[in-house]
Amino acid sequence: MPIRTNRGRAAVYRRLWGWPLRSPRHFVTTLVLLAVVIIGVGILLPETEPRPDPLPQTGGISQQTSGAPTSGTRAFAAPSTSTHAPVTSYPQAAPPPAAPAPEALAVAESWGKAWVDHPEGITSEQWLAKLKPFTTDEYLGQLASVDPRMVPAGKVTGKPSSISATASSVEVKLPTDALVLRLTVISTGAGWRVASYTKAD
């Protein structure tokens, strides 16, 4: 018959727990059985190695594994380990001086004669058409804003002379009846062309 009352169960439990204490032999037997059970469980369980801390503490600063720092701690970014060498720029040497190209001087003179040629009634388009064969395309676009009636000179009064020259550009001085022009003539794929002008010192 199964035990159905609490009093009966308690009596059974007292007999079980009291059995090892009835005699020294029972006590020793109980200890041996308990040791065998513990050893068997230890053999059956797989050995587990302690997991290393993925973020070791260095320098007394605890690192967080989450994206945002918790209160009371600061998140520090890891130092950059880039191995790229710093880019060092060196100034380019100026082109060596050279004798002025005769073609550059001729273009400067032709340009100056076209620049002072602005009879009354000439349009800006007509004036630019005279300058076009001797002017770079970029600078011709800038000259489109110039009113030829505002050009002070009326004629070229002397020959062009070189101020400085390299193999690809020549600074030319050209006198007129109103001022002395300083022209920058450069070598292009289409030949020598005037790239800018200003009043000479």
Side-chain angles (χ1 to χ4, degrees), residues 100-114:
E103 296 84 354
L105 297 176
V107 166
E109 184 176 10
S110 298
W111 188 93
K113 290 179 178 179

Side-chain angles (χ1 to χ4, degrees), residues 108 111-112 170-174 181-185 194 196-197:
W111 188 93
V170 182
E171 294 291 324
V172 180
K173 184 183 293 185
L174 183 66
L181 295 175
R182 178 173 181 146
L183 308 175
T184 301
V185 189
V194 173
S196 68
Y197 84 93

